[in-house]
Amino acid sequence: GAGVSQTPSNKVTEKGKYVELRCDPISGHTALYWYRQSLGQGPEFLIYFQGTGAADDSGLPNDRFFAVRPEGSVSTLKIQRTERGDSAVYLCASSLILLADTEAFFGQGTRLTVV
Amino acid sequence: AQSVTQLGSHVSVSEGALVLLRCNYSSSVPPYLFWYVQYPNQGLQLLLKYTTGATLVKGINGFEAEFKKSETSFHLTKPSAHMSDAAEYFCAVSDAEGAQKLVFGQGTRLTINP
């Protein structure tokens, strides 16, 4: 596709449930990033991948959060036992290579609401 | 650790007036600095970035920013505001050691008055 695609665009789930958020990066982009944006805040880093491996997952808040990128393209962010505090917009971005000065292209995000 | 402070969560200017959005950063190593814009229901879009070289950086839509190391600032300006500039603006910092691990400010919502 032309840009980074995230599905679903909106997700409402009950507290305690498991959710998966999907990210389709721009074709050919080897680096992929996940950020979380709470209401009224800037995005916060969660994890990034270079190819299939998680190069840095230091931003994941706890072990309920996990992300995979098995074939080096599509990535899934998984949240177990969701809590109301997990409600936020989850942003995915991709870049051609993993360098600090390389532009990252962001998707529109998935708005997760835990009720 | 890096951090970014954006002064003013809301800025309102008249159409045709100067736009000035303030950003100060903290970094222990030479920073890479970015401004992103987020229009309603759209993803973040890169406006401009500073990595090395010229400290005055020009971006899209007539925006520019100047890296001032002595002031640890990277303020965003536009000489004449347009109604279409109404959006949320985010300043972000990364560094060569941290790859593309962006640290964002809390954002500034820009409103343009007719």
Side-chain angles (χ1 to χ4, degrees):
Chain A
V4 177
S5 176
Q6 292 187 246
T7 54
S9 55
N10 282 282
K11 176 70 177 178
V12 179
T13 190
E14 292 181 348
K15 179 176 178 293
K17 298 290 187 182
Y18 167 84
V19 296
E20 291 189 351
L21 312 180
R22 178 187 168 106
C23 173
D24 283 84
I26 294 173
S27 178
H29 280 194
T30 63
L32 184 146
Y33 321 84
W34 285 99
Y35 288 81
R36 179 168 70 173
Q37 186 174 16
S38 300
L39 191 63
Q41 302 295 319
E44 294 178 296
F45 169 78
L46 295 177
I47 184 172
Y48 68 75
F49 292 86
Q50 173 61 42
T52 60
D56 185 340
D57 64 357
S58 62
L60 295 177
N62 52 59
D63 61 6
R64 295 187 298 106
F65 288 74
F66 191 71
V68 295
R69 195 186 185 199
E71 298 179 355
S73 178
V74 172
S75 176
T76 304
L77 179 65
K78 309 180 181 192
I79 310 174
Q80 299 177 322
R81 305 183 303 280
T82 52
E83 300 176 357
R84 292 197 177 85
D86 299 335
S87 297
V89 177
Y90 290 81
L91 300 172
C92 177
S94 70
S95 64
L96 192 57
I97 54 177
L98 188 64
L99 282 179
D101 61 349
T102 303
E103 179 176 358
F105 295 84
F106 283 80
Q108 294 185 337
T110 294
R111 182 176 299 279
L112 175 66
T113 303
V114 182
V115 298
Chain B
Q2 297 170 314
S3 66
V4 174
T5 301
Q6 291 184 238
L7 297 177
S9 58
H10 290 86
V11 171
S12 181
V13 302
S14 298
E15 189 174 18
L18 170 73
V19 175
L20 171 61
L21 304 183
R22 299 178 187 274
C23 172
N24 288 88
Y25 69 91
S26 171
S27 178
S28 59
V29 297
Y32 296 153
L33 294 158
F34 305 79
W35 274 99
Y36 280 85
V37 60
Q38 187 173 37
Y39 298 103
N41 301 316
Q42 295 189 27
L44 289 162
Q45 180 182 3
L46 181 67
L47 271 179
L48 49 79
K49 65 179 180 180
Y50 167 79
T51 54
T52 58
T55 57
L56 182 62
V57 179
K58 294 186 185 299
I60 61 171
N61 301 338
F63 284 92
E64 63 182 37
E66 185 171 11
F67 169 58
K68 292 187 176 180
K69 184 178 178 180
S70 62
E71 299 178 6
T72 60
S73 69
F74 191 57
H75 302 330
L76 181 70
T77 60
K78 182 174 180 178
S80 178
H82 191 272
M83 295 300 291
S84 61
D85 295 327
E88 185 108 26
Y89 292 79
F90 293 94
C91 181
V93 63
S94 71
D95 62 73
E97 298 176 9
Q100 187 61 266
K101 187 176 174 179
L102 292 166
V103 175
F104 286 87
Q106 80 277 17
T108 297
R109 182 166 299 279
L110 177 65
T111 302
I112 311 297
N113 302 312

